[in-house]
Amino acid sequence: MTDSGATSQSVGTTQVVGNLGVLTIDYPPVNALSVHTRIALDSGFRQFAADPQVKAIVLICAGRTFIAGADISEFGKALEGPNLQDVFDSIEGGTKPVIAAIHGTALGGGYELALICHHRIAVPSAKVGLPEVALGLLPGAGGTQRLPRIVGVPAALDLITGGAPVPAPKALELGMIDALADEGKLREDAIAFAGRIVSEGGPLLRVRDRQDKVEPYRGKSEIYAEYLKKNARAFRGFKAPFNIVKAIEAAAELPFEQGMERERELFGELIASTESAAQRYYFFAEREGAKVPDLPRDVQALPIRSVGVIGAGTMGGGITMNFLNAGLPVTLVEMNQAALDRGLGVIRRNYEASAAKGRMTSERVEQRMALITPALGLEALATADLVIEAVFEEIGVKQDIFAKLDGIAKPGAILASNTSFLDLDAIAAATTRPESVIGLHFFSPANVMRLLEIVRGAKTADAVLATALKLAKTIAKVPVVSRVGHGFIANRVMSPRSQQAMELVLQGPTPQDIDRALYDYGFAMGPFAMADLVGLDVIGRGSNERTLSGDLVKLGRLGQKQGGGFYDYDEKRQPSPSPVAAQVIADFAAARGVANTGPVSAEAIVARLLYPVVNEGAKVLEEGIAIRASDIDVACILGYNWPVYTGGPMFWADTVGLTRVVDGLRAMGIEPAALLVEKAASGGSFTRN
Ligand code: 3HC
């Protein structure tokens, strides 16, 4: 976050209204608890404490939100100004009731501050919560000790290990806030609320003093063990959820001060961990992706009010749903009625499945479906502001569509291709307006996966790129900008992982050895389980070479869907090692003249499969395909579920040490990229400043 030159004076404004003090914090963009904010809070509260006219204090924020948390950019740096705990202690130690008036998001340290206040009032659109888990942390300013005292242990476990912000009406039900203000009237309503507190004159209500919600759980350690067991899959590989559970147990078991001490200890462990460093890096990395250094700031995005999608298959359907979800009408084009009906049916079923799970109403399902105009010819796209082509991955087919589209789409319309490997410039060349052409590469399932690779062609206009970046935000995707190159970023960088797996399996390690090593590293599944899931016939498609997958397919082994693949499957699709696959592998190795050199350690398997990914990442950077190393990490984390607590391949490589990666690659007979060699030699890094 950029420091806007704020001073502590300009961040905090105090005003006395009748017998109330109103402290307004204004530290854009999100009122983070930076040094300036801490000083402003400290001096504001001191001033009101000393003012005999002030009987109660309202804490409110200017701008788009209440305090959204500690200033993450200060973590790991030397502390400046008062520490958060001292500021909080002095507020809580005061003798005048304090009312937190919340709009936007009161998150992390921001909500912890609200918990120190004696009362909390919020507008209905506000959200409150403790999202520290996403940064690999726990709420370190009393959140783990105070929230259970309000909502009880089970709810606190879910709220803090889940981290999701809670909408104000729900927060009111849970007791996380005490009252709702009218939307747009927060200040008035908070002042009126404070006035009532003063006139009622009851004792100061401090969350820390409450016992009623934690008492019933005292001495019940089985709750925590069961909770961890139930969530084993979701928590795997992360550190923070385990420390959060311990901290909440401390809230139930220990007196408040001792609980706070335990929280500090557990927070300290997390903040020093590589996992948290990786997750904090990732927080900023996600936001960097939208920044393109050579895109002039004053470029205006074009308005997008209607969208056309060509192809109602899996990809086209998923892409369409993104726009429907954002309320944008979509003209969905297919070649024949049957394909169109099939595509529409899948979209409807997806929405109905969400409705069945209670995630949306059936009325909403109909509203979304009503935004689709089905059509059978490209002519229907004449008025669309943006057209996205999602047809068969074949350059000739795509060029043909773009040439036709060129004659149909209105001037200025953006023509996008969802190609995942092809040369976007060659596609653009099929039109008379290559400046309007861009790649919008969605990942499957396109309605779920958050990554959007925006492919900037050689001639793509700045306004078109700016529009794509803005659009990503509209449809809740995380953009990463790529130049044109085979496979762009994620697909290209990740492809060595499966290539290496297919070679390594010929040398001794079994598919299950390799899959287990990658699973333990943090991937949801290894390359062989993944190949079986996708379908071995799909993987080998388009290649005439003899491959391992191809040999399995010849035996009718297509993967999970038919005959098994690298594994055998029972009727519940549970895998077991396959003697047939083992024989196919041995035969293939013999045909290739590859010797079996025996088992390999998990660590060596990980290096063998993932160092080449790092190497490819270095090449993508070197060639200028990716703007920055963190974009590669974001692409792999969001596009391939690379475990976020490793920070992605480039952050991980820096953790391992670049010299080790270079040596490892050479030992495998792979020549490391020049950039990697240079950084290793100079003690440089991809992701650490
Ligand atoms: N510290 C520093 N910078 C922050 C920040 C924070 N806590 N939260 C947001 N920012 C920055 C972003 O990096 C971004 O900067 P940029 O414009 O230079 O890229 C800018 O503020 C705006 O953020 P978004 O683009 O994310 O804006 P949105 O409106 O989409 O979202 C938000 C706003 C919901 C507040 C979102 O930014 C968010 O979730 N922030 C993080 C909240 C959080 O995790 N808080 C806990 C912090 S840890 C903590 O409090 C520890 C405590 O327990 C001791």
Side-chain angles (χ1 to χ4, degrees):
M1 185 164 62
T2 47
D3 189 322
S4 51
T7 63
S8 314
Q9 276 88 26
S10 66
V11 171
T13 312
T14 54
Q15 195 190 6
V16 177
V17 181
N19 60 358
L20 303 173
V22 179
L23 172 59
T24 307
I25 296 295
D26 187 7
Y27 184 64
V30 298
N31 293 312
L33 286 165
S34 66
V35 53
H36 301 301
T37 312
R38 295 195 299 273
I39 293 173
L41 284 167
D42 196 46
S43 72
F45 276 96
R46 278 178 202 283
Q47 181 191 325
F48 288 144
D51 185 341
Q53 193 188 328
V54 170
K55 303 292 180 222
I57 301 160
V58 172
L59 171 64
I60 193 164
C61 291
R64 65 208 240 205
T65 179
F66 191 77
I67 292 167
D71 189 336
I72 307 168
S73 60
E74 283 184 1
F75 288 168
K77 298 187 184 151
L79 178 76
E80 277 183 71
N83 88 35
L84 197 56
Q85 202 51 56
D86 291 344
V87 177
F88 281 16
D89 284 349
S90 92
I91 297 173
E92 196 173 47
T95 54
K96 301 175 183 180
V98 182
I99 292 86
I102 300 169
H103 75 294
T105 41
L107 298 178
Y111 182 59
E112 290 175 293
L113 172 56
L115 288 175
I116 279 167
C117 299
H118 305 96
H119 305 272
R120 289 151 291 280
I121 177 168
V123 288
S125 62
K127 290 184 178 163
V128 301
L130 298 172
E132 285 86 344
V133 68
L135 302 169
L137 295 173
L138 53 75
T144 65
Q145 303 306 296
R146 289 191 180 84
L147 191 61
R149 284 176 159 78
I150 294 186
V151 301
V153 165
L157 285 169
D158 283 342
L159 287 166
I160 309 180
T161 62
V166 182
K170 176 82 184 155
L172 181 66
E173 256 172 56
L174 289 169
M176 294 174 78
I177 60 171
D178 306 306
L180 283 178
D182 281 343
E183 203 67 57
K185 284 182 62 194
L186 179 62
R187 191 183 149 93
E188 296 91 310
D189 286 359
I191 287 175
F193 185 96
R196 282 197 299 280
I197 298 291
V198 173
S199 56
E200 283 164 14
L204 280 183
L205 298 176
R206 297 195 309 175
V207 175
R208 61 179 283 163
D209 299 333
R210 284 183 61 176
Q211 291 300 323
D212 55 311
K213 293 281 184 182
V214 286
E215 229 151 37
Y217 303 99
R218 201 154 290 155
K220 297 191 174 158
S221 60
E222 67 281 5
I223 299 176
Y224 310 98
E226 274 162 26
Y227 192 75
L228 289 175
K229 200 167 153 209
K230 191 176 91 186
N231 290 287
R233 256 178 95 110
F235 295 169
R236 185 172 76 92
F238 290 93
K239 268 207 159 68
F242 298 91
N243 281 23
I244 288 170
V245 170
K246 286 182 197 159
I248 293 175
E249 183 169 8
E253 298 299 325
L254 302 176
F256 184 78
E257 283 305 338
Q258 281 179 37
M260 286 295 287
E261 214 165 282
R262 184 80 180 115
E263 180 190 90
R264 261 193 299 282
E265 224 172 77
L266 292 163
F267 182 86
E269 279 176 24
L270 292 177
I271 195 118
S273 69
T274 314
E275 287 82 353
S276 173
Q279 288 180 265
R280 282 179 275 133
Y281 156 80
Y282 179 72
F283 175 86
F284 289 111
E286 250 198 21
R287 285 153 178 84
E288 278 297 296
K291 295 170 191 161
V292 180
D294 67 335
L295 182 66
R297 277 174 159 258
D298 55 358
V299 175
Q300 289 289 318
L302 307 166
I304 302 292
R305 296 190 196 92
S306 61
V307 179
V309 174
I310 308 173
T314 312
M315 239 17 235
I319 292 171
T320 298
M321 290 176 74
N322 288 303
F323 295 101
L324 306 180
N325 296 345
L328 283 165
V330 178
T331 303
L332 183 58
V333 175
E334 254 301 348
M335 295 307 145
N336 62 66
Q337 193 64 44
L340 191 55
D341 290 344
R342 217 176 309 124
L344 288 168
V346 172
I347 296 177
R348 174 173 283 284
R349 275 197 297 283
N350 277 338
Y351 280 134
E352 282 172 351
S354 295
K357 287 181 197 141
R359 296 206 192 115
M360 66 198 296
T361 60
S362 27
E363 196 187 351
R364 184 60 64 79
V365 175
E366 297 312 320
Q367 278 166 2
R368 301 246 161 115
M369 290 307 292
L371 286 170
I372 309 181
T373 307
L376 284 177
L378 296 178
E379 294 70 26
L381 301 171
T383 57
D385 294 322
L386 161 71
V387 178
I388 304 175
E389 161 279 312
V391 303
F392 194 59
E393 190 75 352
E394 233 290 334
I395 188 83
V397 176
K398 300 218 185 228
Q399 283 177 323
D400 185 43
I401 288 187
F402 272 73
K404 287 192 183 126
L405 205 51
D406 193 24
I408 294 169
K410 69 180 183 186
I414 296 179
L415 309 182
S417 172
N418 177 52
T419 179
S420 44
F421 285 98
L422 300 173
D423 180 348
L424 183 81
D425 291 331
I427 297 173
T431 72
T432 58
R433 38 173 145 171
E435 68 284 358
S436 295
V437 176
I438 195 162
L440 293 180
H441 179 211
F442 291 83
F443 286 71
S444 189
N447 53 318
V448 177
M449 300 292 274
R450 290 175 61 227
L451 178 64
L452 179 63
E453 273 184 0
I454 298 179
V455 185
R456 185 183 189 184
K459 297 191 175 155
T460 304
D462 285 349
V464 172
L465 177 58
T467 309
L469 287 163
K470 187 168 169 216
L471 191 71
K473 190 146 186 144
T474 309
I475 59 172
K477 298 286 174 202
V478 177
V480 161
V481 176
S482 173
R483 282 291 188 181
V484 177
H486 186 76
F488 310 116
I489 299 177
N491 284 346
R492 171 171 167 191
V493 166
M494 290 302 294
S495 66
R497 183 183 62 164
S498 37
Q499 280 162 14
Q500 292 296 331
M502 293 297 166
E503 286 183 23
L504 183 59
V505 79
L506 304 180
Q507 297 166 9
T510 62
Q512 43 286 7
D513 291 339
I514 297 173
D515 280 355
R516 164 61 58 186
L518 273 263
Y519 177 83
D520 287 346
Y521 179 85
F523 286 98
M525 60 179 85
F528 295 101
M530 177 63 98
D532 278 359
L533 182 67
V534 173
L536 302 188
D537 52 333
V538 177
I539 287 181
R541 194 181 281 162
S543 159
N544 296 323
E545 257 176 63
R546 179 179 171 191
T547 61
L548 202 45
S549 310
D551 280 9
L552 287 162
V553 171
K554 278 188 211 130
L555 295 179
R557 297 182 70 91
L558 271 53
Q560 277 199 23
K561 63 185 169 190
Q562 197 188 311
F566 286 100
Y567 295 89
D568 288 334
Y569 294 89
D570 64 16
E571 58 291 345
K572 286 187 184 146
R573 294 208 167 187
Q574 286 301 312
S576 57
S578 165
V580 179
Q583 191 56 51
V584 170
I585 292 167
D587 292 348
F588 191 85
R592 281 269 210 94
V594 179
N596 185 327
T597 44
V600 173
S601 71
E603 194 188 354
I605 292 173
V606 166
R608 172 75 187 263
L609 267 62
L610 301 187
Y611 286 1
V613 172
V614 173
N615 197 37
E616 205 61 35
K619 287 186 193 164
V620 156
L621 267 181
E622 213 169 69
E623 293 166 20
I625 301 287
I627 296 173
R628 49 180 89 79
S630 64
D631 287 357
I632 298 170
D633 287 335
V634 170
C636 293
I637 288 169
L638 294 183
Y640 277 82
N641 289 324
W642 188 294
V644 64
Y645 51 79
T646 69
M650 308 316 277
F651 187 93
W652 175 68
D654 285 335
T655 307
V656 168
L658 298 185
T659 307
R660 206 163 139 198
V661 175
V662 165
D663 293 347
L665 285 165
R666 289 202 169 124
M668 295 170 203
I670 297 174
E671 187 46 35
L675 183 65
L676 185 52
V677 174
E678 177 201 310
K679 281 193 186 291
S682 64
S685 124
F686 287 109
T687 61
R688 317 293 211 273
N689 297 322

